[in-house]
Amino acid sequence: MTTILRLYKTALKKYPLITSSLQTSGLTIAGDILAQTAVEGNSLKNINLLRTSQFGAVGLFLVGPTLTTWYRFLDKCLGNKGASAVLKKVAFDQGLFAPSFIVVFLTSLAIVQQKNIKSSIDELKMNYKDILITNYKLWPLVQLGNFYIVPVQYQILVVQFVAIIWNTYLSWKTQGSKFKE
């Protein structure tokens, strides 16, 4: 286990964007598989691999690089010490980044899933408010702890482990299945 941890730390230091993006993709895939099995009741042999790969691609090419860049930007601009810096980071993260990134995420997912523009806009209108409200029930508290305790290079990893739950929710919420509220 220490060898794996050492390899991970080395990869994260030498290749932060690639390492964070790969871990994000893997955990995004895990969230989609959980949505399909635990929430929607499919067996592992009946999961929609195309859907899972689409979520993984959005994690790899959008979420991982964006979060890596965003957290480094916050750390550089707002600092990493003290309650004031943490509160500012959470305010920027949840007040500015989260509302806009949800739109970017949902739009990117619709593009990857090859949905037409009208249905993409309709789904965005239908899901955005619920997703944003759910975001505010989970992420501010997570980010308070993350920004206060965790060094910047590990913040994405912490977020992505919590995001297994979030990704499960997003997968379920965005699939237009019979399992929607």
Side-chain angles (χ1 to χ4, degrees):
M1 186 64 158
T2 57
T3 303
I4 293 170
L5 187 57
R6 190 172 51 249
L7 288 171
Y8 173 73
K9 285 181 176 182
T10 301
L12 197 56
K13 191 172 191 164
K14 287 178 93 170
Y15 312 104
L17 202 61
I18 293 169
T19 304
S20 295
S21 296
L22 288 171
Q23 80 189 13
T24 299
S25 181
L27 294 169
T28 304
I29 287 168
D32 180 67
I33 291 171
L34 273 172
Q36 290 189 55
T37 56
V39 178
E40 297 169 18
N42 295 322
S43 68
L44 274 175
K45 67 179 183 176
N46 290 326
I47 62 169
N48 180 337
L49 292 176
L50 176 60
R51 170 179 150 178
T52 300
S53 65
Q54 291 165 335
F55 266 82
V58 172
L60 179 65
F61 296 110
L62 175 70
V63 180
T66 303
L67 290 181
T68 301
T69 304
W70 176 244
Y71 290 164
R72 288 174 183 259
F73 171 78
L74 287 177
D75 203 58
K76 183 178 178 184
C77 292
L78 302 175
N80 58 12
K81 301 282 188 231
S84 176
V86 170
L87 291 174
K88 287 177 190 174
K89 284 181 178 182
V90 173
F92 275 88
D93 188 63
Q94 294 301 302
L96 178 66
F97 182 79
S100 58
F101 191 69
I102 289 169
V103 172
V104 171
F105 177 86
L106 294 174
T107 303
S108 298
L109 188 60
I111 290 168
V112 168
Q113 294 174 337
Q114 299 178 335
K115 294 181 179 175
N116 68 51
I117 293 173
K118 183 182 178 339
S119 69
S120 299
I121 292 170
D122 290 345
E123 284 183 25
L124 184 61
K125 287 178 182 177
M126 182 176 64
N127 290 328
Y128 180 77
K129 182 179 175 186
D130 287 343
I131 291 172
L132 186 62
I133 289 168
T134 303
N135 169 84
Y136 288 139
K137 291 176 183 177
L138 174 65
W139 289 111
L141 187 58
V142 169
Q143 292 295 50
L144 274 171
N146 192 32
F147 292 142
Y148 188 73
I149 297 168
V150 180
V152 69
Q153 67 267 30
Y154 302 117
Q155 289 174 355
I156 294 169
L157 180 62
V158 169
V159 164
Q160 288 308 315
F161 272 108
V162 175
I164 290 174
I165 296 163
W166 179 247
N167 294 333
T168 301
Y169 166 75
L170 284 177
S171 175
W172 167 78
K173 187 72 176 170
T174 60
Q175 291 314 297
S177 72
K178 62 185 176 193
F179 300 98
K180 279 201 174 173
E181 300 173 302

